[in-house]
Amino acid sequence: MAIKRYTITSALPYANGALHLGHLAGAYLPADIYVRYLRLLGKDVVWVCGSDEHGAAITMRAKKEGIEPKAIIDKYHELNKATFQRLGISFDIYHRTSADLHHQTAQEFFTLLNEKGGEFEKQTQEQYYDEKFDQFLADRYIIGTCPKCSHDEAYGDQCENCGSDLSPTELINPRSTLSGEKPILRETTHWYFKLDKHAAWLKDWIKDGKIEGKTHHDPKAWKNHVLGQCLSWLDDLRPRAITRDLDWGIKVPAEGADGKVLYVWFDAPIGYISATKQWAADNGKDWKTYWQDEESQLIHFIGKDNIVFHCIVFPAMLKAHGDYILPTNVPANQFLNFEGRKFSKSKGWGIEQHQYLEEFKDFPNKEDALRYALIRNMPESKDSDFKWDEFVDFHDNELVANLGNFINRVVVLTNKYYEGVVPEAVENEAAATDLARVREIVNKLGEEIEKFNFRNAIQKLMELSSVGNTYLQDQSPWAIWKNEPDSQQVKNCLHNCIQIVAILSVIGEPFIPFSANKIRNLLGLENIKNGDLAALLDLFKDGKSVVPAGHKIGAPELLFAKINDRKDHSRLELIERQKEQLAAILEAEIPKHEPIKETATFDDFTKMDIRTGTILAAEKMKKADKLLQLKVDLGFEQRTIVSGIAKYYKPEEIIGQEVLVLANLAPRKLRGVASEGMILMAENADGELSFVKPTEGFGNGLVVR
């Protein structure tokens, strides 16, 4: 079936904080490349995004800061929207889920499913509650140990270490991220979406690309990690709660739903629809054709942490509704790390998008320099790493030495030899061969974009620039012009080089849009517009020039300036400052060790009798917050030991713990209890304690020498 139009979405970022470079590389820059390419082909496309402004994340931050949620969402909606614009992220609309239109759309969606019957069920269950904050806890605000892989920072809905789908009550030693304390269970009633009833068709759709036996899409075109994660979920689908006990969000339009709002994972993807509605109203379009017409193609751009919601949950919602098309692809990216580690706002590890723009405000072409480096290292199929040294290499060796160098030489020579007027060319076999290679590269670049292989695509851009450099060097028009200023060979060479520069300005626009328009200005051409690539491909078919002979180009102007410049260190200093900031963080993380105590003799050491033991029982000491009373088995006898570890260990957690005991320490009464030894502990820079212990199963009563 012919595709008449495209609906492109990017994950709605939470409006509770600024976005870092990992977000840009994950869901927004890839979509921008793809959408710009479609526009260049003259396609009917709408790209929607906006702020996700509901959910516990907003509520909890507001409570912690003592302000209203609206103050938070207004601040970060405007910041992120403006930052996206400054980086050339060309959404057709950047909407927000706090808008009345979105509330109306989400409530209508819920009501239709609720009235259809069979899609929802009400369940009364116990849910974790933070007594200190007087708040039911969303799944993401409960962390604990994963029961499947023992990762100790698993969330209440998913373990990001092993990818397992979890419920909060499955977590071992759960704790609230608000208070840090163990939450209690309280009874509450919620609406659940019967996701499990959709398992059969979802499996056919994801695995075979078919719905009810009819081909919908090619599953081979989906990324392996997307398919793998989806298939691992399909055998264990369960009903999922779609409501929450919160006072901030979209009110549930149903009887008995007082005090409840739609869960953010249910309302947020509907935000794509409400954003399209707003865009259509603003532009005189029919939103339904983009969401409910089989000749429209829906594609979601997301990070890998959102795969399940966009490949299983949201498609099930759309199909349950009955009027909507389903995505033909969800080209989720993996994660971008920063200098070998995960981005961490609390530790200052990384750089936020608006922070980059501010700190690099004096860096020429800062937007495209960043876009280029991120695309070259985009985490398309596996996690990748942003490094400042690579940023410099990509910029100086590729943008400057390859692309910028070629364009500058062509513009300079055309101005020098022909006063900036494009010379007439005479067809010859050599030029036809070179231009055929150009057409091949342009076609390959388009194919790579259509496969969501943006790293490969941008290398095709550089390959075309390399072809231009090689052609110019092989022809060496400067050598010929010295003796023969009216040489047709020189005219042919520069005419053809101008064509390559013009082509670079068009196919470079999806990747480096600011520089692409600067190239257009150098050539005396109007800025890029929709359909320019389609027009270019038509010219290829007809064998016509992109820039005709007699056209006047502009004066030479340096497109990119090297970072590693022997005369100007200003750009390198910007990079060095970033590296110094990271070095300072690493240095601060190095533990500050206590100085070695005064020298002890061997005889001093031999006086200590250290034995292996096992804790048999433990209980809190009355009126002593820091002390635990332990019963320890030393193999040959059992002893009572009082230890100041209550701040770090609960009594029930350490039963069976193997320990080392200073067994010949003189007994001492603590809170009326005689302590007959000392447990050996290690202490880190933060004062946290950890047991020093023998190899598991080593035995009790054995001497440490």
Side-chain angles (χ1 to χ4, degrees):
M1 184 179 293
I3 301 169
K4 284 189 175 180
R5 64 194 69 80
Y6 294 80
T7 306
I8 310 298
T9 76
S10 284
L12 307 184
Y14 275 126
N16 70 334
L19 304 177
H20 57 63
L21 301 191
H23 296 119
L24 186 62
Y28 310 106
L29 185 52
D32 190 59
I33 297 167
Y34 190 74
V35 168
R36 285 177 180 273
Y37 170 75
L38 292 178
R39 292 178 186 142
L40 286 174
L41 290 176
K43 302 296 185 182
D44 182 355
V45 55
V46 58
W47 179 22
V48 300
C49 191
S51 294
D52 183 352
E53 299 176 326
H54 297 135
I58 308 292
T59 308
M60 305 315 179
R61 176 157 186 172
K63 283 195 172 186
K64 284 183 175 181
E65 296 184 12
I67 58 178
E68 291 299 315
K70 192 174 187 305
I72 294 173
I73 64 173
D74 286 348
K75 173 183 176 180
Y76 289 109
H77 171 76
E78 294 302 330
L79 173 65
N80 292 333
K81 180 180 179 181
T83 304
F84 278 137
Q85 290 174 341
R86 292 173 65 191
L87 287 167
I89 303 302
S90 57
F91 302 121
D92 287 294
I93 183 170
Y94 192 75
H95 205 225
R96 51 194 308 181
T97 61
S98 61
D100 291 342
L101 179 59
H102 175 68
H103 279 241
Q104 175 188 334
T105 302
Q107 288 178 328
E108 288 175 352
F109 201 105
F110 172 91
T111 299
L112 187 145
L113 293 189
N114 197 31
E115 291 178 350
K116 283 180 80 170
E119 296 297 341
F120 296 155
E121 64 183 18
K122 289 171 73 173
Q123 294 183 19
T124 299
Q125 293 185 344
E126 289 186 320
Q127 184 179 330
Y128 278 125
Y129 188 88
D130 189 320
E131 290 183 293
K132 185 174 181 180
F133 274 76
D134 191 23
Q135 177 74 59
F136 278 106
L137 294 172
D139 296 349
R140 281 265 153 173
Y141 282 80
I142 307 163
I143 56 174
T145 301
C146 174
K148 300 182 182 180
C149 73
S150 298
H151 178 57
D152 61 3
E153 294 289 327
Y155 291 106
D157 60 350
Q158 184 181 16
C159 175
E160 293 191 350
N161 185 57
C162 68
S164 297
D165 180 24
L166 300 173
S167 66
T169 53
E170 291 180 284
L171 292 177
I172 301 167
N173 297 324
R175 58 192 184 278
S176 166
T177 61
L178 295 178
S179 63
E181 297 177 0
K182 183 175 181 178
I184 65 169
L185 287 168
R186 277 192 182 178
E187 204 172 73
T188 187
T189 300
H190 286 295
W191 277 256
Y192 281 71
F193 178 43
K194 295 181 181 179
L195 189 59
D196 49 327
K197 71 173 278 188
H198 295 277
W201 76 261
L202 278 169
K203 185 172 290 187
D204 290 341
W205 177 66
I206 290 170
K207 191 174 181 181
D208 301 320
K210 294 183 178 181
I211 298 178
E212 298 171 355
K214 183 180 176 182
T215 298
H216 177 267
H217 66 269
D218 181 7
K220 293 179 182 177
W222 287 36
K223 295 183 178 183
N224 288 336
H225 66 272
V226 174
L227 288 173
Q229 190 175 139
C230 290
L231 293 174
S232 70
W233 270 61
L234 287 173
D235 292 330
D236 191 28
L237 293 184
R238 315 170 193 173
R240 294 183 69 94
I242 62 166
T243 60
R244 277 292 180 264
D245 295 293
L246 291 172
D247 54 7
W248 174 255
I250 299 174
K251 305 301 181 187
V252 177
E255 186 178 346
D258 293 344
K260 299 188 188 297
V261 299
L262 293 177
Y263 195 8
V264 68
W265 70 256
F266 185 88
D267 106 70
I270 298 173
Y272 301 140
I273 300 170
S274 59
T276 310
K277 283 184 176 181
Q278 187 62 62
W279 169 82
D282 294 341
N283 291 276
K285 301 275 190 176
D286 180 4
W287 73 270
K288 289 184 177 180
T289 61
Y290 293 88
W291 280 95
Q292 298 182 354
D293 189 326
E294 289 188 358
E295 293 181 319
S296 296
Q297 189 171 89
L298 172 63
I299 300 173
H300 298 305
F301 283 87
I302 56 170
K304 68 178 178 181
D305 52 337
N306 272 320
I307 287 174
V308 170
F309 295 105
H310 288 77
C311 295
I312 294 179
V313 179
F314 190 43
M317 291 166 54
L318 294 174
K319 192 166 188 304
H321 187 286
D323 294 329
Y324 289 89
I325 59 174
L326 301 185
T328 54
N329 210 318
V330 184
N333 270 0
Q334 305 261 28
F335 289 153
L336 180 76
N337 293 322
F338 191 84
E339 292 284 359
R341 305 170 65 178
K342 290 182 178 180
F343 283 84
S344 173
K345 184 179 180 69
S346 61
K347 295 179 180 178
W349 192 263
I351 185 168
E352 293 168 346
Q353 295 175 24
H354 75 288
Q355 181 187 359
Y356 168 85
L357 289 169
E358 178 59 30
E359 295 189 14
F360 282 70
K361 61 186 177 184
D362 298 324
F363 190 99
N365 293 334
K366 57 185 173 292
E367 302 89 356
D368 284 346
L370 177 63
R371 287 173 66 109
Y372 187 84
L374 290 174
I375 298 166
R376 284 287 280 112
N377 212 2
M378 193 169 277
E380 293 172 345
S381 58
K382 62 181 180 180
D383 290 357
S384 62
D385 200 12
F386 180 93
K387 292 184 170 68
W388 285 117
D389 286 343
E390 286 188 345
F391 176 92
V392 174
D393 288 342
F394 289 143
H395 184 273
D396 284 6
N397 298 336
E398 298 180 17
L399 285 176
V400 178
N402 186 349
L403 180 65
N405 179 56
F406 170 62
I407 293 168
N408 185 60
R409 292 164 80 194
V410 172
V411 174
V412 166
L413 291 174
T414 304
N415 273 278
K416 180 178 180 180
Y417 298 162
Y418 306 110
E419 297 182 337
V421 177
V422 178
E424 188 85 45
V426 175
E427 286 191 26
N428 60 77
E429 188 175 339
T433 301
D434 287 321
L435 291 177
R437 176 74 179 125
V438 169
R439 289 193 290 272
E440 179 188 343
I441 293 171
V442 171
N443 289 332
K444 287 286 186 184
L445 180 145
E447 290 172 7
E448 295 291 359
I449 290 179
E450 290 172 11
K451 294 176 182 175
F452 310 106
N453 296 329
F454 305 119
R455 291 173 67 163
N456 290 348
I458 204 167
Q459 289 181 69
K460 290 296 176 186
L461 177 72
M462 283 300 147
E463 184 180 341
L464 177 53
S465 181
S466 296
V467 166
N469 271 312
T470 301
Y471 172 68
L472 185 61
Q473 196 64 38
D474 288 347
Q475 293 290 312
S476 297
W478 48 86
I480 301 169
W481 188 82
K482 282 182 181 179
N483 300 315
E484 194 180 348
D486 199 38
S487 166
Q488 187 60 49
Q489 185 177 347
V490 174
K491 293 177 181 177
N492 286 348
C493 174
L494 288 177
H495 179 95
N496 292 335
C497 284
I498 288 288
Q499 309 312 309
I500 295 174
V501 172
I503 293 165
L504 285 168
S505 74
V506 176
I507 65 171
E509 198 268 351
F511 310 104
I512 47 174
F514 300 94
S515 301
N517 279 319
K518 286 183 180 178
I519 298 170
R520 303 290 285 186
N521 292 335
L522 285 174
L523 293 179
L525 300 173
E526 62 182 12
N527 282 352
I528 298 290
K529 62 183 183 301
N530 290 3
D532 273 357
L533 180 54
L536 177 64
L537 296 174
D538 286 340
L539 290 173
F540 279 170
K541 286 181 189 175
D542 299 335
K544 295 180 180 178
S545 296
V546 182
V547 182
H551 175 81
K552 182 77 162 65
I553 70 170
E557 183 182 335
L558 199 61
L559 194 60
F560 300 101
K562 274 199 168 189
I563 296 172
N564 277 312
D565 189 319
R566 287 176 295 177
K567 296 180 180 179
D568 183 353
H569 298 160
S570 62
R571 291 173 293 282
L572 183 59
E573 287 170 358
L574 290 171
I575 302 295
E576 293 302 324
R577 279 202 293 273
Q578 293 297 322
K579 293 162 74 172
E580 287 167 5
Q581 289 172 17
L582 297 179
I585 293 171
L586 290 177
E587 184 178 353
E589 289 182 351
I590 298 174
K592 302 297 187 288
H593 298 288
E594 291 185 10
I596 299 292
K597 296 177 180 178
E598 63 182 71
T599 301
T601 66
F602 181 73
D603 289 340
D604 292 332
F605 175 74
T606 58
K607 291 179 182 178
M608 292 189 294
D609 190 340
I610 302 173
R611 300 293 181 108
T612 59
T614 301
I615 297 175
L616 300 177
E619 60 181 314
K620 284 188 175 181
M621 294 276 289
K622 293 179 180 179
K623 299 180 181 180
D625 293 339
K626 297 181 180 180
L627 301 179
L628 293 183
Q629 182 176 327
L630 311 177
K631 182 71 70 176
V632 181
D633 181 9
L634 292 180
F636 52 87
E637 65 182 21
Q638 295 180 7
R639 290 195 183 181
T640 296
I641 297 177
V642 177
S643 183
I645 60 174
K647 182 179 177 181
Y648 303 101
Y649 295 97
K650 296 179 180 178
E652 63 270 19
E653 294 175 348
I654 59 175
I655 307 300
Q657 173 71 51
E658 295 184 0
V659 294
L660 296 181
V661 178
L662 181 58
N664 63 336
L665 185 68
R668 180 186 176 192
K669 274 197 172 185
L670 295 169
R671 300 281 182 175
V673 176
S675 181
E676 304 169 304
M678 179 182 289
I679 304 292
L680 270 59
M681 309 290 291
E683 183 178 12
N684 67 13
D686 296 324
E688 296 173 338
L689 300 179
S690 175
F691 288 103
V692 179
K693 58 185 180 181
T695 304
E696 188 174 350
F698 198 67
N700 295 331
L702 304 177
V703 177
V704 176
R705 302 187 185 280

